[in-house]
Amino acid sequence: EPEVTQTPSHQVTQMGQEVILRCVPISNHLYFYWYRQILGQKVEFLVSFYNNEISEKSEIFDDQFSVERPDGSNFTLKIRSTKLEDSAMYFCASSAGQVFADYYEQYFGPGTRLTVT
Amino acid sequence: TQLLEQSPQFLSIQEGENLTVYCNSSSVFSSLQWYRQEPGEGPVLLVTVVTGGEVKKLKRLTFQFGDARKDSSLHITAAQTGDTGLYLCARGGYSSASKIIFGSGTRLSIRP
């Protein structure tokens, strides 16, 4: 069964460093998302992406964050200068386009645990 | 902000028992999803309900969407230790690009 994959599974970085989290969405999906989950808290939406541009972003997604689809398969989240409070699990998700019956369903990857020290 | 309240927050029961967890909101939703999340992993989609009053079954799990599309329940029959996990309800998006908003979850523990 197709699935969303994410790399790395765990990333440790020092405060102020840049990190890039990578995702490979399900191949026929057209909508891509990033969410994060701070330990013990809810899963929170960061950004959605469609047709090579951001569709929606949350207040969390400030100028330090950016997303990119550099080729036909990868979807990345970059944090330019990490802060301690960026430590969290980051989940990528993807969703099919409207031509599919389940277009409003999002499928999540296993996550990248980001630890900022 | 459309809040999803889940109850109970925590539930610990013996294997073989039945249980129901709830998801409530003051808002009407176009659809509602239930996910299950295990520690250190991503949420896994279990079901989407769309029509008011809809009932969907997934083996021993029965999901119901309220008639007014403001609430939902998940009933597990004869719980097994493998059912242990965090169960999240989530508001479905109004369009394909819409974010999902998750409830706070019910952490379920099934004792052998």
Side-chain angles (χ1 to χ4, degrees):
Chain A
E1 188 169 322
E3 57 183 20
V4 177
T5 59
Q6 291 185 242
T7 54
S9 57
H10 191 190
Q11 173 94 47
V12 181
T13 189
Q14 288 192 325
M15 197 166 52
Q17 296 295 304
E18 173 183 287
V19 293
I20 297 177
L21 309 182
R22 301 179 194 280
C23 168
V24 178
I26 294 173
S27 65
N28 63 347
H29 284 186
L30 302 176
Y31 299 84
F32 314 112
Y33 315 82
W34 284 100
Y35 293 79
R36 78 171 186 191
Q37 186 177 34
I38 294 171
L39 188 64
Q41 297 186 21
K42 284 188 192 184
V43 178
E44 302 174 286
F45 169 78
L46 291 178
V47 66
S48 60
F49 190 85
Y50 169 69
N51 200 26
N52 282 318
E53 59 183 33
I54 290 174
S55 302
E56 186 179 0
K57 59 184 181 179
S58 72
E59 290 176 354
I60 302 167
F61 194 88
D62 62 22
D63 292 344
Q64 293 301 311
F65 291 87
S66 62
V67 288
E68 194 178 29
R69 188 152 161 84
D71 53 44
S73 60
N74 291 285
F75 179 50
T76 62
L77 173 69
K78 183 194 289 186
I79 310 175
R80 287 191 186 82
S81 178
T82 50
K83 306 183 189 102
L84 293 176
E85 54 264 37
D86 293 328
S87 294
M89 282 287 284
Y90 287 80
F91 296 108
C92 173
S94 70
S95 176
Q98 291 187 355
V99 295
F100 298 98
D102 63 347
Y103 75 93
Y104 45 78
E105 295 177 343
Q106 296 180 20
Y107 296 87
F108 286 74
T112 292
R113 180 172 298 285
L114 176 65
T115 302
V116 182
T117 61
Chain B
T1 304
Q2 296 174 321
L3 291 177
L4 289 166
E5 303 283 343
Q6 289 190 246
S7 61
Q9 270 189 293
F10 302 96
L11 184 59
S12 179
I13 63 169
Q14 206 73 33
E15 194 171 27
E17 293 182 359
N18 302 332
L19 67 107
T20 303
V21 299
Y22 301 92
C23 175
N24 293 288
S25 174
S26 57
S27 304
V28 175
F29 301 130
S30 60
S31 64
L32 191 138
Q33 280 100 33
W34 283 92
Y35 288 82
R36 180 177 153 197
Q37 185 181 22
E38 301 201 35
E41 298 184 13
V44 175
L45 179 66
L46 296 175
V47 78
T48 300
V49 286
V50 179
T51 308
E54 183 176 8
V55 176
K56 281 193 175 177
K57 286 182 185 274
L58 192 65
K59 296 182 182 176
R60 292 173 297 99
L61 277 59
T62 301
F63 303 87
Q64 183 157 9
F65 202 14
D67 291 341
R69 291 187 290 132
K70 291 184 178 182
D71 55 270
S72 182
S73 64
L74 158 59
H75 180 80
I76 301 180
T77 304
Q80 299 176 356
T81 55
D83 295 328
T84 293
L86 179 66
Y87 288 83
L88 301 163
C89 67
R91 183 212 80 182
Y94 290 95
S95 72
S96 299
S98 292
K99 63 191 176 197
I100 282 181
I101 293 183
F102 286 91
S104 51
T106 291
R107 189 164 297 283
L108 179 62
S109 173
I110 310 299
R111 303 187 303 272

